[in-house]
């Protein structure tokens, strides 16, 4: 059975976001072995359109109910993340951490799958990562700070984890409404 079928393979689509409670969010996603499959390439296009439409910093395939190891990193500053760096939206196939610093940073995260909640999440400050491009080329690179955080958040989705699982205490969870006040203070000159 194909894991993903698009009724309009030549058209990109904005896909529905699976929310916490949907079983797919807690599954371990399957490795990709068929990068050149046209359906997989269509899925990547759909993920790129969907993350842009949702103003996400990234997205993982399980978030659109496809349990396969694909993530998109697409950070750019917006009202939800005014301090984000800008990076050309990038699809990563079978992404993995090959090294992570012992130094951790705590910062705010949200998630399209967990609407209305923000959490202060510890992440490795610097990481080395390996993935394949959508053309099937293997790459290794290093990220730190915000990009390292987004990568770790998205790869967690491939292992059935969400940021709520990473907070040190539930007291580090706030509503979106309260978080806006935190960000407004942080962005004052
Ligand atoms: Zn997420």
């Amino acid at each position: 059975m194909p894991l993903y079928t698009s009724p309009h393979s030549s058209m990109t689509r904005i896909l529905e976001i699976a929310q916490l409670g949907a079983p797919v969010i807690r599954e371990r996603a399957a490795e990709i072995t068929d990068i050149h499959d046209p359906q997989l390439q269509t899925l990547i296009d759909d993920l790129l359109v969907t993350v842009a439409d949702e103003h996400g910093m990234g997205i993982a395939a399980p978030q659109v109910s496809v349990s396969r190891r694909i993530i998109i990193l697409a950070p750019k500053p917006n009202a939800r993340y005014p301090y984000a760096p800008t990076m050309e939206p990038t699809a990563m196939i079978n992404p993995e951490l090959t090294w992570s610093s012992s130094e951790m940073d705590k910062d705010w995260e949200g998630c399209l799958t967990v609407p209305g909640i923000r959490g202060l999440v510890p992440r490795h400050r610097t990481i080395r990562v390996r993935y394949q491009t959508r053309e099937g080329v293997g790459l290794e690179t290093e990220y730190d700070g915000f990009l390292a955080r987004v990568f770790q958040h998205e790869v967690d989705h491939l292992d059935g984890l969400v940021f709520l699982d990473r907070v040190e205490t539930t007291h580090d969870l706030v509503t979106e409404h309260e978080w806006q006040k935190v960000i407004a203070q942080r962005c004052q000159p």
Side-chain angles (χ1 to χ4, degrees):
M1 189 179 78
L3 283 164
Y4 179 77
T5 53
S6 171
H8 310 288
S9 57
S10 61
M11 288 174 57
T12 54
R13 302 179 304 158
I14 294 167
L15 303 173
E16 188 182 346
I17 302 294
Q19 297 197 353
L20 186 67
V24 67
I25 293 302
R26 292 312 200 168
E27 288 169 12
R28 186 181 191 281
E31 303 284 332
I32 306 283
T33 54
D34 52 348
I35 289 183
H36 300 291
D37 178 346
Q39 285 183 346
L40 192 84
Q41 293 290 329
T42 299
L43 169 61
I44 292 169
D45 289 336
D46 291 349
L47 283 166
L48 287 164
V49 169
T50 302
V51 72
D53 181 67
E54 298 278 354
H55 305 295
M57 297 293 112
I59 195 166
Q63 292 185 275
V64 297
S65 303
V66 179
S67 194
R68 306 195 71 188
R69 302 187 81 80
I70 305 173
I71 64 171
I72 309 282
L73 298 196
K76 67 175 182 190
N78 66 23
R80 291 172 71 227
Y81 296 96
Y83 47 83
T86 299
M87 173 180 166
E88 185 66 25
T90 303
M92 301 178 173
I93 318 291
N94 299 324
E96 54 185 329
L97 274 80
T98 57
W99 176 83
S100 53
S101 66
S102 53
E103 293 160 300
M104 310 289 281
D105 286 331
K106 272 172 82 170
D107 209 343
W108 293 101
E109 294 185 20
C111 182
L112 300 173
T113 287
V114 188
I117 301 283
R118 297 288 170 140
L120 206 44
V121 184
R123 298 286 186 187
H124 299 287
R125 179 179 299 170
T126 308
I127 56 173
R128 281 192 211 115
V129 309
R130 180 159 60 203
Y131 65 94
Q132 289 164 281
T133 67
R134 66 181 300 175
E135 291 82 26
V137 178
L139 289 181
E140 290 192 53
T141 188
E142 191 169 299
Y143 293 125
D144 61 12
F146 193 93
L147 290 177
R149 173 170 300 278
V150 177
F151 185 93
Q152 289 169 83
H153 176 116
E154 300 308 337
V155 167
D156 269 357
H157 279 301
L158 304 183
D159 295 326
L161 296 170
V162 296
F163 76 90
L164 303 175
D165 304 317
R166 299 286 193 189
V167 297
E168 291 171 346
T169 157
T170 49
H171 290 242
D172 284 343
L173 297 174
V174 301
T175 66
E176 181 98 19
H177 178 79
E178 289 297 319
W179 178 78
Q180 288 292 347
K181 298 180 194 169
V182 174
I183 286 304
Q185 276 191 338
R186 181 170 171 162
C187 292
Q188 274 171 6

